[in-house]
């Protein structure tokens, strides 16, 4: 068996996987690979899948699988899967960090202190008592909710496919979720239903000017509409780790011209601990399919 590691994983992973066969990071050997490991950089399009003539299993290290043409994999008899449990803590901590840093104006205070200012007039706010709306209530959002509860926040969630949650009060529509929210944290997969779900129409339903955090998928936000909402004050702050195209072109993405934004370069899953967890889940997945005789 040849395992191709196409994107960046923990450096310890190749040695762990050699129990199954040969391991390489030489992408020119894609045609030979039985198993291909990717993260967000590699796009497993039809053309990519056709080039991987020997591929039987492709694993996305992380949660979202919109960079894999799963329907075409199914058509070709290729197993496509991910590591859904590994990234929950790392991404949740980033989302919560963004909320905390916005409430406490950490970026502002840091910038003004470095500029020689001693600005005590600008006040912080607290997360305590504020309403958090979660869009999606999967593994990551559940971890966010657990942290928000510890801070004394009120938590509601909208998820079309989830009826109840032990950590949040479920509401029937996305409009109900965002209507009077102080903070909105987005944890949605990219589907036809969720593409640009955060748009001018939904923003118009918001009674407050919330802080919106997106650590899910960039294309779930209409960036033009978000930029206009930031300029008008309809949204007080926008924090994002993900973009409609990555890396984003600063001169083309309207968000970079907006006030009250916090950006990070799609690093939600990039904690040292999480890369180790992803590697273990990859190992367990390969072992499972070997034992089942689906790959060899």
């Amino acid at each position: 068996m040849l395992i191709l590691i196409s994107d960046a994983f923990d450096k310890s992973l190749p040695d762990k996987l050699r129990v199954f066969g040969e391991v390489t990071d030489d992408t020119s050997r894609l045609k030979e690979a039985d198993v291909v490991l990717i993260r967000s950089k590699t796009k497993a399009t039809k053309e990519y899948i056709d080039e991987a003539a020997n591929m039987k299993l492709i694993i996305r290290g992380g949660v979202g699988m919109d960079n894999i043409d799963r329907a075409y994999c199914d058509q070709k008899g290729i197993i496509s899967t991910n590591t859904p449990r590994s990234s929950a803590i790392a991404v949740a901590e980033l989302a919560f960090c963004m909320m905390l840093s916005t409430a406490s104006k950490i970026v502002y205070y840091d910038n003004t202190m470095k500029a020689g200012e001693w600005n005590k007039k600008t006040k912080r706010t607290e997360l305590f008592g504020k309403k958090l709306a979660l869009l999606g209530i999967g593994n990551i959002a559940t971890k966010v909710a657990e942290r928000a509860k510890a801070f004394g926040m009120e938590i509601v969630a909208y998820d079309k496919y989830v009826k109840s949650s032990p950590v949040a009060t479920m509401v029937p529509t996305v409009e109900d979720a965002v209507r009077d929210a102080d903070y909105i944290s987005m944890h949605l997969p990219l589907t036809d239903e969720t593409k640009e779900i955060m748009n001018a129409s939904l923003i118009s339903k918001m009674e407050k000017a919330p802080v919106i955090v997106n650590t899910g998928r960039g294309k779930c936000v209409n960036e033009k509409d978000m930029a206009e909402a930031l300029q008008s004050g309809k949204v007080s702050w926008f924090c994002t780790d993900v973009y409609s195209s990555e890396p984003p072109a600063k001169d083309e993405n309207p968000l970079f011209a907006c006030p009250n934004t916090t950006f990070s370069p799609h690093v939600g899953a990039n904690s040292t601990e999480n890369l180790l967890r992803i590697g273990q889940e990859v190992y367990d997945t390969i072992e499972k399919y070997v034992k089942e005789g689906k790959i060899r």
Side-chain angles (χ1 to χ4, degrees), residues 67-84:
N67 58 329
I68 299 177
D69 190 331
R70 300 190 71 190
Y72 195 57
C73 282
D74 290 344
Q75 183 181 327
K76 301 266 290 188
I78 298 167
I79 302 166
S80 59
T81 188
N82 60 352
T83 59

Side-chain angles (χ1 to χ4, degrees), residues 179-199:
R179 184 167 288 113
D180 60 346
D182 299 288
Y183 290 82
I184 299 167
S185 192
M186 300 180 64
H187 303 280
L188 297 165
L190 180 62
T191 67
D192 290 341
E193 291 177 304
T194 65
K195 185 176 181 181
E196 296 191 354
I197 190 172
M198 184 59 69
N199 55 31

Side-chain angles (χ1 to χ4, degrees), residues 229-246:
L230 287 163
Q231 297 285 1
S232 70
K234 187 68 178 173
V235 172
S236 66
W237 205 282
F238 182 57
C239 307
T240 189
D241 186 46
V242 289
Y243 308 85
S244 60
S245 63
E246 296 186 0

Side-chain angles (χ1 to χ4, degrees), residues 80-180:
S80 59
T81 188
N82 60 352
T83 59
R85 296 176 298 279
S86 301
S87 301
I89 291 172
V91 181
E93 285 193 3
L94 178 63
F96 208 78
C97 173
M98 286 177 160
M99 286 195 290
L100 271 173
S101 66
T102 301
S104 289
K105 302 188 184 301
I106 296 299
V107 174
Y108 170 80
Y109 288 138
D110 182 64
N111 287 339
T112 53
M113 285 291 292
K114 288 174 179 175
E117 300 177 28
W118 184 253
N119 190 344
K120 293 175 68 71
K121 293 181 180 179
T122 300
K123 302 301 181 186
R124 300 166 49 240
T125 59
E126 299 174 358
L127 295 183
F128 180 81
K130 302 301 191 298
K131 188 170 188 177
L132 169 63
L134 298 168
L135 305 188
I137 190 66
N139 293 327
I140 296 170
T142 296
K143 295 297 183 185
V144 173
E146 290 171 356
R147 285 148 181 78
K149 183 177 180 181
F151 275 73
M153 301 184 80
E154 177 189 355
I155 308 158
V156 300
Y158 166 75
D159 193 312
K160 182 177 179 179
Y161 301 99
V162 178
K163 298 301 181 186
S164 64
S165 168
V167 294
T169 300
M170 301 302 298
V171 295
T173 69
V174 66
E175 290 82 8
D176 290 326
V178 305
R179 184 167 288 113
D180 60 346

Side-chain angles (χ1 to χ4, degrees), residues 10-28:
D10 186 77
K11 292 180 180 179
S12 66
L13 186 58
D15 284 343
K16 290 179 181 177
L17 297 183
R18 286 193 176 97
V19 66
F20 301 113
E22 184 183 357
V23 181
T24 183
D25 60 2
D26 182 356
T27 56
S28 70

Side-chain angles (χ1 to χ4, degrees), residues 178-181 202-210 234:
V178 305
R179 184 167 288 113
D180 60 346
L202 183 59
I203 292 170
S204 72
K205 305 297 193 299
M206 299 173 188
E207 296 173 357
K208 300 178 179 179
K234 187 68 178 173

Side-chain angles (χ1 to χ4, degrees), residues 47-58:
E47 293 75 18
Y48 183 91
I49 294 165
D50 282 339
E51 187 178 348
N54 202 43
M55 184 167 66
K56 303 168 185 68
L57 170 65
I58 182 168

